[in-house]
Amino acid sequence: MADLTTTFAGVRSPNPFWLASAPPSNSGSQVHRAFEAGWGGAVWKTIGPPVLNVSNRYGAWHYGGQRMLAINNVELISDRPLEVNLREITEVKRAWPDRAVIASVMVESKPEAWHEIVRRVEDTGADGMELNYGCPHGMSERGMGAAVGQDPGYCQEITSWVTAVAKIPVIVKLTPNITNIVVPARAAIAGGASALSLINTINSIAAVDLNTFELTPSIGGKGGHGGYAGPAVKPVALNMLAALGADSVVGKSGLPISGMGGITTWQDAAEFLLLGASSVQVCTAVMHYGFRIVEDLCDGLSNWMDEKGLATIGDVIGKSLPRVSDFKDFDLSYRAVARIDEAKCIKCNLCYVACNDTAHQCIDLIDSSGAAVVPYGYDVRSNGKDEAVSKRPQPRVREDDCVGCRLCYNVCPVEKCIAMVDAPSGRESVTWDELMQSNPELGEDWEAMKAYREKHGIHVH
Amino acid sequence: MDSKGLQETHPPLTAHEALVEANRCLYCFDAPCMHACPTHIDIPRFIKKIATENLRGSARTILEANLLGATCARVCPVQELCEGACVLGAEHKPIAIGRLQRHAMDSVNDRGRSMIPVAGPSGRQVAVVGAGPAGLSCAGELAKRGHAVTVFEKRDLAGGLSTYGIIGLREPVETSLGEVRMIEGLGVRVETNQALGRDFVLADLQGRFDAVFLSVGLGTTPEMTIPGEEFVLDGLAYIEDSKLNPGGMKIGRHVAVIGAGNTAIDCATVAVRLGAERVTMIYRRTAEEMTAYLHEYEFIKNEGVEFRFLTQPVRVLAPGGHVTGLDCVRMELGEADASGRRAPRMVPGSEFTIETDQVVKAVGQEKPWAALGLARAKGFISVNEEFETSLRGVFAGGDCIRARGTASTVMAVQDGKLAAAAIHQRITEGAN
Ligand SMILES: Cc1cc2nc3c(=O)[nH]c(=O)nc-3n(C[C@H](O)[C@H](O)[C@H](O)COP(=O)(O)OP(=O)(O)OC[C@H]3O[C@@H](n4cnc5c(N)ncnc54)[C@H](O)[C@@H]3O)c2cc1C
Ligand SMILES: Cc1cc2nc3c(=O)[nH]c(=O)nc-3n(C[C@H](O)[C@H](O)[C@H](O)COP(=O)(O)O)c2cc1C
Ligand code: SF4
Ligand code: SF4
Ligand code: SF4
């Protein structure tokens, strides 16, 4: 059994799975039940100044019959009184000494306000605090949340107010609603943060109602942008996480990062760990399925680690970071082609139409005599399953023409039916960066490029 | 046996079920289901339209290829056709194409007519004889092209076997009549109680119309020539009563059905569902040689119907006109005959009696078209690739030409559609 124990900025938890600051961690009784289910930690729903919430505050993106591939919300920070939250945090921490209990906070941008909240949070016995610089709606209109996260100056200043007085670890939670995530991360580090977390939700409009022409959800006839989270945002979050790992300043700071954004399964979580997160947080998946999902998050992760010979969470963290690179450093001579496993293929022809209409026209439909045939070529008088199945041609890749773009691989509905197989180009390995140093004209002159391709046998059709 | 009645077995899909099922479809390109459908409906297209809640567009996609999509959705042997070819069949469950088709068609109901464009009048006239699926399909396709079509139908109601022959479990009469109304809405005239050979002859039509399409189907159940046959009920009439006159129908306590084809199964279903205590199917060969589909065989066994294979009826016992039993002999299979099926022969001295108070025969349909004077093959009307008979300008399609393979509604629809294209070609030749 792999050891899932996690230490994050000095805070220990029995596993790396924390509830993100959000509805699942809204109250003491909820967090209590989450801990009973096995969650390693909880970042309390953000506490701070008084607010009033609205109805219809959660929208969602459904696709192809799948519900809630993403949630979209205009919920504010906790609408329960500060006193109540602080008292419940105290009670929960006392009852669960081995779990990570983190208070998420957001107050007015004044040093006194921040000093006051730090003192009161520390009185609860919480293990740490997370500064919410990410809420993209409502709070930002009041100069808090994303209004801070989007301004590196503010971000650094407020962080330093907090770190000047805080005795417990301070995690700065970043907003993804920014062009370069590295900038606010560096600001937080300059402000003395002990750790980072990302991502908060992404600005979004969920949908428009085709009957009423209102936005969906409609809040008394109006709607607006809200924060986007859930499975659909995972690739965005992974990219931001990797960008921090690859940054020299953030990397050198050694600050731990708590990763989140779309984590639903242990596989998702493992990917965050591999790209440098040292704990992970979950919101939408819990809102969809409840606290019980933590069982498989732990079980699946542990079994996978055993299989891979990874004994501790520390062995997993950042293992894939060295693979993060840029286009300019990719090997241009690397070549792969698509190959169809005809025994697995169900002949849906989705690869064929994708390649033929939108890629490189290098999949043929081959009949039993080995000849390439045109689609819809059957006689209108023919019918019946026997004829339709037995006469159905087999899609086959013309590997010499295949540029290895991987589109067919992505559309194929059958597991492991199309493989991208290495097909050594025979060319010496070279990157774009190297090429620009040796042959700068290739980046400017199509004639030169043509000559280069001819010389190296690169055919693009 | 409890009598479950003859309401449609499959309830319609709910909107949610249809959406989930439609989303399961992979949207194959040049899909095999489409090839397998005799009318080649663009199945992935109509299913994806259900997924996008464009039901109007979905129904229209179906109607473009098959004017009788509502009937076909209910009666097609989909296991042998579209669903049998679905790429998801091998490892998962094939898409419920028939039920989705019904969902789309039912959503537009009688508004189907409004989505079919009709060309301006061409000035040409075509006569169609027989208002079954083949005739209605041909008439509708010709009307779409602007031709004036008159359909002559022998019976009171149009629709052919969809109205009179397909048990209510699969298709209610109303669905069939709704389709007739839709075809009439395209401008087609349907004249009922008009029989070819009784009320008019072929030459009358040839004089009045630019072309003729014969879609007269097949005839009644043939004679078995056994003593007491006058007390045996005709299977087709038995089914017809169950659809149009269920109240006046008398169902035996122990019903014996002779035959093991699709019609025989339907007769047994009627008997079981309308209250027979015991139903026995009697067939002179074995389960292997049955012409009913496997899914029909499974269905009827589940209904509790018994089978007597290798059994040949020889005499109906009906003292005083009341049926009391059916004398039979046991059979054994000999050498394979010309059609590859092993011919059954009697086992001497094996006679025995099956107790029964109602005997129904479903042993095929007659091919009564000799008097028309057209070239025929095995009793069926012969046509060329263009569905033209030996008489120029007289075309034919549907069951009356189906000399090979199993006849089905959807094939009749495709015949009508292809024949309409050929007729259109012929009657507009040389015209601008
Ligand atoms: C009991 C039974 C159950 C069946 N179940 C199914 C099923 O579940 N699924 C399926 O796909 N197929 C089924 N079939 C087959 C299907 O019904 C036929 O293949 C289809 O109806 C053929 O269409 P058609 O237009 O050629 O003939 P028909 O439907 O037979 O129509 C012929 C029409 O011509 C009329 N007519 C006949 N003679 C004359 C005349 N002299 N003058 C004017 N009109 C005339 C008839 O009254 C009739 O209306 C079944 C058949 C039977 C008998
Ligand atoms: C309804 C809702 C309310 C949220 N409220 C807060 C909050 O009060 N404070 C905060 O820091 N993040 C809040 N978040 C953001 C989540 O903590 C988390 O960063 C984000 O949802 C991404 O994770 P996920 O994809 O697992 O949901 C909220 C998210 C949702 C969906
Ligand atoms: S997409 Fe996959 S399953 Fe479908 S035809 Fe192509 S290789 Fe076969
Ligand atoms: S018409 Fe019949 S065979 Fe064709 S798609 Fe519809 S249900 Fe399937
Ligand atoms: S074969 Fe099946 S999955 Fe493919 S388009 Fe047809 S119904 Fe859909």
Side-chain angles (χ1 to χ4, degrees):
Chain A
M1 267 279 282
D3 177 7
L4 298 188
T5 321
T6 301
T7 307
F8 181 90
V11 178
R12 290 176 60 82
S13 63
N15 61 56
F17 300 105
W18 297 359
L19 291 180
S21 170
S25 58
N26 194 44
S27 68
S29 70
Q30 286 168 284
V31 176
H32 187 75
R33 281 193 286 125
F35 285 169
E36 278 178 343
W39 287 88
V43 184
W44 210 269
K45 170 78 188 170
T46 305
I47 57 176
V51 297
L52 284 172
N53 267 314
V54 291
S55 286
N56 277 351
R57 56 184 180 269
Y58 305 151
W61 181 56
H62 314 292
Y63 184 76
Q66 292 250 63
R67 303 297 292 180
M68 213 156 96
L69 293 173
I71 197 170
N72 148 291
N73 83 93
V74 291
E75 177 170 293
L76 301 176
I77 63 171
S78 177
D79 51 12
R80 304 163 77 239
L82 191 57
E83 299 299 328
V84 177
N85 277 309
L86 291 168
R87 189 178 68 237
E88 290 179 2
I89 293 172
T90 314
E91 287 161 7
V92 166
K93 183 62 224 181
R94 197 180 300 137
W96 296 92
D98 69 325
R99 308 300 164 97
V101 178
I102 310 290
S104 168
V105 295
M106 174 198 292
V107 292
E108 254 189 293
S109 300
K110 289 188 196 136
E112 317 81 73
W114 283 97
H115 289 161
E116 155 96 0
I117 194 75
V118 169
R119 186 182 55 71
R120 297 184 70 178
V121 165
E122 287 185 342
D123 285 347
T124 65
D127 299 298
M129 60 170 66
E130 187 179 81
L131 313 187
N132 178 349
Y133 292 170
C135 186
H137 46 261
M139 304 314 291
S140 50
E141 292 167 28
R142 290 165 62 177
M144 293 175 266
V148 178
Q150 286 165 338
D151 185 315
Y154 270 157
C155 179
Q156 177 174 346
E157 186 176 21
I158 295 178
T159 306
S160 62
W161 295 340
V162 174
T163 56
V165 295
K167 295 189 272 301
I168 54 176
V170 175
I171 307 165
V172 170
K173 183 169 178 181
L174 303 174
T175 174
N177 298 312
I178 188 152
T179 314
N180 181 358
I181 195 71
V182 166
V183 176
R186 286 184 178 183
I189 293 168
S194 0
L196 302 171
S197 62
L198 84 174
I199 59 174
N200 210 308
T201 55
I202 304 174
N203 281 337
S204 61
I205 285 177
V208 179
D209 188 310
L210 299 184
N211 290 318
T212 62
F213 309 115
E214 292 169 350
L215 297 195
T216 303
S218 165
I219 298 161
K222 294 183 185 166
H225 73 89
Y228 203 52
V233 311
K234 188 186 92 173
V236 176
L238 285 178
N239 173 53
M240 293 190 164
L241 177 62
L244 296 190
D247 180 63
S248 56
V249 176
V250 181
K252 203 172 327 124
S253 75
L255 252 51
I257 303 170
S258 187
M260 81 199 92
I263 295 173
T264 308
T265 64
W266 64 265
Q267 288 108 321
D268 300 329
E271 293 173 41
F272 277 78
L273 296 174
L274 289 169
L275 284 179
S278 37
S279 79
V280 292
Q281 301 184 27
V282 184
C283 164
T284 306
V286 180
M287 291 180 75
H288 200 157
Y289 301 112
F291 298 130
R292 62 195 164 131
I293 65 167
V294 73
E295 192 275 331
D296 192 57
L297 289 174
C298 290
D299 186 44
L301 183 66
S302 163
N303 289 338
W304 170 77
M305 286 170 64
D306 289 347
E307 219 167 87
K308 296 288 169 200
L310 300 164
T312 68
I313 292 293
D315 295 342
V316 183
I317 297 171
K319 208 172 164 55
S320 295
L321 271 181
R323 304 279 184 160
V324 177
S325 180
D326 287 319
F327 186 93
K328 65 179 170 43
D329 297 321
F330 294 161
D331 182 358
L332 298 171
S333 68
Y334 170 70
R335 180 167 177 261
V337 295
R339 192 170 296 159
I340 295 170
D341 181 341
E342 296 183 1
K344 291 205 176 95
C345 173
I346 59 173
K347 302 181 185 169
C348 66
N349 288 357
L350 289 174
C351 57
Y352 171 83
V353 70
C355 183
N356 201 52
D357 283 6
T358 67
H360 294 266
Q361 301 79 44
C362 54
I363 300 181
D364 293 325
L365 299 174
I366 305 294
D367 73 8
S368 54
S369 75
V373 295
V374 293
Y376 299 100
Y378 50 82
D379 181 345
V380 288
R381 281 156 222 255
S382 75
N383 63 61
K385 69 172 175 189
D386 296 334
E387 165 109 21
V389 171
S390 66
K391 296 260 171 74
R392 190 149 178 83
Q394 170 65 56
R396 195 170 293 158
V397 179
R398 283 194 321 279
E399 293 184 6
D400 284 347
D401 294 334
C402 173
V403 301
C405 74
R406 208 172 188 260
L407 179 62
C408 58
Y409 173 95
N410 289 316
V411 301
C412 178
V414 178
E415 205 61 36
K416 300 206 172 83
C417 174
I418 298 186
M420 297 305 298
V421 291
D422 283 356
S425 64
R427 301 193 297 272
E428 217 161 284
S429 111
V430 65
T431 68
W432 180 255
D433 225 21
E434 289 163 352
L435 212 51
M436 284 306 98
Q437 270 159 40
S438 58
N439 305 63
E441 73 283 2
L442 292 180
E444 279 152 21
D445 179 3
W446 267 113
E447 284 306 314
M449 180 56 93
K450 222 170 98 197
Y452 176 84
R453 285 181 179 179
E454 263 159 32
K455 184 169 162 218
H456 292 89
I458 304 173
H459 303 291
V460 181
H461 59 270
Chain B
M1 264 176 225
D2 47 333
S3 46
K4 294 187 239 170
L6 289 167
Q7 286 81 25
E8 279 187 289
T9 8
H10 288 302
L13 293 173
T14 63
H16 178 72
E17 283 172 322
L19 207 59
V20 170
E21 188 65 2
N23 275 314
R24 213 164 62 78
C25 166
L26 297 176
Y27 201 21
C28 299
F29 180 74
D30 184 6
C33 52
M34 177 173 175
H35 181 177
C37 168
T39 55
H40 310 301
I41 294 174
D42 193 335
I43 294 167
R45 180 145 67 106
F46 96 69
I47 291 182
K48 279 304 142 185
K49 285 176 191 285
I50 293 176
T52 66
E53 300 180 81
N54 176 8
L55 290 178
R56 201 184 143 76
S58 181
R60 186 191 179 120
T61 303
I62 295 162
L63 287 167
E64 275 168 8
N66 181 332
L67 287 173
L68 272 55
T71 285
C72 286
R74 292 167 164 83
V75 309
C76 277
V78 289
Q79 293 88 335
E80 305 299 319
L81 301 174
C82 53
E83 292 182 21
C86 173
V87 300
L88 295 180
E91 282 187 44
H92 310 260
K93 260 181 11 183
I95 298 296
I97 301 170
R99 297 183 74 195
L100 286 171
Q101 179 170 324
R102 180 174 155 198
H103 180 74
M105 293 307 302
D106 285 0
S107 76
V108 295
N109 249 320
D110 287 352
R111 289 178 297 129
R113 154 70 194 97
S114 67
M115 36 183 89
I116 304 166
V118 174
S122 66
R124 312 279 155 174
Q125 310 220 359
V126 181
V128 170
V129 185
L136 291 173
S137 162
C138 183
E141 295 289 344
L142 287 167
K144 273 164 58 178
R145 293 170 168 91
H147 307 306
V149 187
T150 309
V151 182
F152 299 96
E153 165 57 49
K154 180 173 75 177
R155 309 286 310 258
D156 292 341
L157 297 172
L161 288 169
S162 304
T163 297
Y164 289 103
I166 291 180
I167 56 174
L169 215 67
R170 287 206 288 286
E171 183 181 11
V173 174
E174 194 35 50
T175 304
S176 172
L177 297 181
E179 266 173 347
V180 173
R181 283 196 298 277
M182 196 254 308
I183 299 290
E184 286 177 314
L186 296 173
V188 171
R189 259 177 74 124
V190 179
E191 295 192 13
T192 50
N193 294 309
Q194 289 293 315
L196 172 64
R198 183 185 73 196
D199 303 307
F200 57 89
V201 293
L202 204 47
D204 298 333
L205 301 180
Q206 285 177 292
R208 281 171 55 202
F209 295 91
D210 297 297
V212 177
F213 180 64
L214 298 175
S215 45
V216 283
L218 296 173
T220 49
T221 313
E223 292 279 308
M224 296 185 299
T225 56
I226 56 171
E229 187 161 355
E230 62 272 29
F231 303 109
V232 175
L233 303 179
D234 178 326
L236 291 172
Y238 197 69
I239 293 171
E240 187 177 315
D241 274 355
S242 77
K243 293 196 82 175
L244 295 165
N245 183 25
M249 211 180 163
K250 189 184 149 292
I251 302 285
R253 283 180 59 203
H254 181 181
V255 180
V257 177
I258 303 170
N262 319 81
T263 307
I265 300 265
D266 287 350
C267 290
T269 308
V270 167
V272 169
R273 290 295 182 102
L274 294 186
E277 285 169 26
R278 198 168 162 197
V279 178
T280 308
M281 297 193 69
I282 296 161
Y283 183 44
R284 58 197 180 115
R285 306 183 200 231
T286 71
E288 306 256 297
E289 289 84 19
M290 270 171 55
T291 52
Y293 297 118
L294 185 64
H295 65 265
E296 290 179 313
Y297 181 42
E298 296 296 331
F299 167 81
I300 203 70
K301 277 196 300 187
N302 270 335
E303 292 282 313
V305 166
E306 297 163 38
F307 279 80
R308 289 290 189 120
F309 291 112
L310 293 169
T311 301
Q312 168 100 321
V314 291
R315 183 181 313 104
V316 182
L317 305 177
H322 291 287
V323 175
T324 58
L326 186 64
D327 281 348
C328 301
V329 288
R330 297 200 35 80
M331 307 294 281
E332 60 188 12
L333 290 183
E335 298 305 307
D337 66 7
S339 70
R341 296 208 294 181
R342 293 167 68 197
R345 48 169 192 248
M346 291 191 190
V347 178
S350 64
E351 199 158 311
F352 66 104
T353 304
I354 294 174
E355 264 186 49
T356 167
D357 60 343
Q358 188 170 56
V359 181
V360 180
K361 66 174 174 184
V363 291
Q365 282 179 271
E366 304 244 50
K367 294 149 208 109
W369 307 120
L372 287 177
L374 301 169
R376 292 180 308 141
K378 292 196 275 171
F380 296 91
I381 298 171
S382 299
V383 294
N384 64 15
E385 279 282 289
E386 305 282 78
F387 293 87
E388 191 162 21
T389 66
S390 53
L391 255 185
R392 190 174 160 84
V394 177
F395 297 75
D399 281 5
C400 64
I401 66 157
R402 186 90 47 244
R404 277 186 305 127
T406 339
S408 63
T409 303
V410 64
M411 290 190 191
V413 173
Q414 180 72 347
D415 283 3
K417 187 172 101 186
L418 294 176
I423 291 170
H424 171 76
Q425 181 73 28
R426 172 66 56 77
I427 63 183
T428 53
E429 257 164 24
N432 297 314

